[in-house]
Amino acid sequence: LAGADALSDEGQYAAALALLGRGDAADPFAPLLALRRAGLLDRLNRVPEAEAELRRLAAQFPRAFQPMARLGDLYRGRQNWAPAITAYDAAILRLGAPVVVHWPLFYARGIALERAKRWPEAEADFQRALSLNPEQPLVLNYLAYSWVELGQNLVEARRMLERAVELRPNDGNIADSLGWALYKLGDIP
């Protein structure tokens, strides 16, 4: 795993994949190796193989949410919103009671839903992500910026964006969102 990670960090995805292929299926780390292989296959644009690896893992470990979440990420990264949403739905069904570490799953599905023009569902997912992690600047930014674009909840959006800027003061995307909110509110100075 460490060797494959080092190779991957250097952009040597094929070499990392070959190294992970030497793992033993009986190894307790085999599922983790398979997740890493799927990620490398995705980076190498070998999408059908990555999909197959993730679906195999999902079938082998029906209570684990990670394979379906990674499948959702694969589709979302290629702007295939409908299959991404379906994969995230399956991952969320496997969660049980969501806890703080699950906020990225609701955030990712929210993005896919928003891009698929399913705003009410997206908004609910962003709010769910914030209920799990109220100080998450990426979620604060995405939800607040969306509200600004829709002309909704502008005062709350400004508050959220100001908080996101406090949390990530060097993030240009968040600063831009705050500037847009201020403009929309008529606060030109």
Side-chain angles (χ1 to χ4, degrees):
L1 282 170
D5 285 348
L7 288 166
S8 182
D9 289 346
E10 296 298 320
Q12 297 182 39
Y13 307 126
L17 184 62
L19 186 59
L20 290 177
R22 295 182 2 208
D24 182 350
D27 190 307
F29 287 101
L32 181 56
L33 293 171
L35 280 175
R36 296 281 173 85
R37 274 195 308 274
L40 290 165
L41 289 165
D42 180 20
R43 286 182 175 266
L44 291 166
N45 208 30
R46 293 166 55 182
V47 176
E49 292 171 81
E51 288 173 313
E53 186 79 355
L54 291 168
R55 289 189 186 284
R56 182 191 64 75
L57 271 174
Q60 185 178 357
F61 299 96
R63 295 165 72 190
F65 73 92
Q66 295 90 341
M68 294 309 293
R70 297 276 178 94
L71 186 60
D73 293 343
L74 181 145
Y75 291 133
R76 184 171 53 93
R78 286 171 171 70
Q79 300 182 3
N80 293 335
W81 310 124
I85 294 164
T86 300
Y88 290 134
D89 288 346
I92 288 168
L93 283 174
R94 294 171 176 225
L95 287 181
V99 295
V100 67
V101 297
H102 298 133
W103 74 263
L105 193 50
F106 291 95
Y107 175 64
R109 186 174 70 174
I111 292 171
L113 286 163
E114 184 268 333
R115 297 295 170 97
K117 309 259 187 272
R118 293 168 56 182
W119 175 246
E121 294 165 274
E123 182 179 34
D125 269 355
F126 293 136
Q127 289 175 331
R128 183 64 186 269
L130 285 176
S131 75
L132 296 171
N133 190 353
E135 295 286 295
Q136 206 336 292
L138 297 175
V139 183
L140 289 168
N141 180 58
Y142 207 109
L143 177 57
Y145 181 82
S146 298
W147 280 344
V148 170
E149 283 294 294
L150 293 167
Q152 300 174 349
N153 307 319
L154 294 178
V155 173
E156 177 68 6
R158 176 183 180 164
R159 186 197 63 73
M160 289 168 62
L161 289 167
E162 287 170 343
R163 181 64 184 142
V165 166
E166 288 173 14
L167 294 166
R168 289 186 75 165
N170 297 320
D171 189 316
N173 291 324
I174 295 174
D176 180 69
S177 296
L178 177 57
W180 186 237
L182 293 170
Y183 176 79
K184 294 286 264 191
L185 284 164
D187 189 352
I188 304 307

